[in-house]
Amino acid sequence: MARVPLLDAEDLPEEYRYLFDQNDVGTADIFRGMANAPTQFQWYMRYSSRLWEILPARERELVILAAARALEHPYEWHQHVRLGREAGLSDTEITAISEGRGDPFDAKDAALLAYAQAVALGDVRDGDHDHLREQYDDETVVGVAMLAAHYVATARVLDAMGIEPEEEFVGWRV
């Protein structure tokens, strides 16, 4: 049960109401909880939007799902299974991420997954970095680290607010 009120757009000052229309998950409880701090919510959305531009949608969702699974965070996993599917990930690929299997992925995807998991767990090794750097330039590597770390922070905010998936959890294997 949420530890903060779950607000709606109408509960916010007029200048912040647009925030509920500026994301791919609409009025999900994460945003309804963050709405209690509208200025911070606005900056969160601006930062998130910029991080989402680092990679194409499919690759972005690989990073987010890998981080969510490494953290065993049901809310983030649940939201991003749908977004991953919309970005072109198959259920076979999503299940492989959950099981920590690299077999359905090419070297580029495998490097993203390993790096995102390592960032989420706070254990990036030189090999993780080097494999990702073989596939991407330094700017993208730093962006991937920031993207994965952002979802670690998001998971912790969700935990602090007591936000749980709005519907029945999709499960770790789809």
Side-chain angles (χ1 to χ4, degrees):
M1 182 149 183
R3 294 183 179 114
V4 296
L6 299 177
L7 304 178
D8 295 312
E10 313 76 68
D11 300 320
L12 294 177
E14 182 71 36
E15 70 265 28
Y16 296 106
R17 292 180 183 171
Y18 77 94
L19 293 168
F20 283 102
D21 299 323
Q22 297 294 307
N23 61 74
D24 287 339
V25 289
T27 58
D29 287 352
I30 180 176
F31 304 120
R32 295 179 67 211
M34 286 183 179
N36 287 280
T39 302
Q40 290 76 18
F41 178 28
Q42 182 181 53
W43 283 107
Y44 174 91
M45 295 302 289
R46 288 177 179 169
Y47 184 60
S48 296
S49 296
R50 292 290 181 238
L51 291 176
W52 274 38
E53 296 172 0
I54 292 165
L55 296 166
R58 182 184 175 282
E59 294 171 27
R60 177 194 70 225
E61 292 304 320
L62 286 172
V63 170
I64 297 168
L65 285 167
R69 187 60 177 113
L71 297 170
E72 297 181 1
H73 202 273
Y75 191 97
E76 288 299 337
W77 178 263
H78 184 84
Q79 292 291 353
H80 286 277
V81 164
R82 177 184 62 80
L83 294 171
R85 286 172 173 155
E86 289 174 5
L89 291 174
S90 70
D91 286 352
T92 300
E93 290 172 316
I94 293 168
T95 297
I97 295 167
S98 179
E99 295 174 350
R101 292 185 294 108
D103 53 270
F105 300 105
D106 62 19
K108 192 173 187 177
D109 289 349
L112 277 173
L113 292 166
Y115 193 80
Q117 179 181 9
V119 169
L121 296 174
D123 190 28
V124 178
R125 308 279 172 110
D126 288 344
D128 300 318
H129 176 84
D130 293 345
H131 286 124
L132 190 62
R133 184 58 184 88
E134 290 169 7
Q135 304 296 327
Y136 295 96
D137 61 21
D138 289 327
E139 181 179 0
T140 305
V141 170
V142 171
V144 170
M146 293 174 77
L147 178 64
H150 175 66
Y151 278 88
V152 172
T154 298
R156 296 302 170 242
V157 170
L158 284 161
D159 293 344
M161 291 189 300
I163 305 290
E164 297 177 2
E166 293 87 350
E167 52 198 37
E168 186 177 340
F169 179 57
V170 68
W172 297 112
R173 289 172 182 78
V174 295

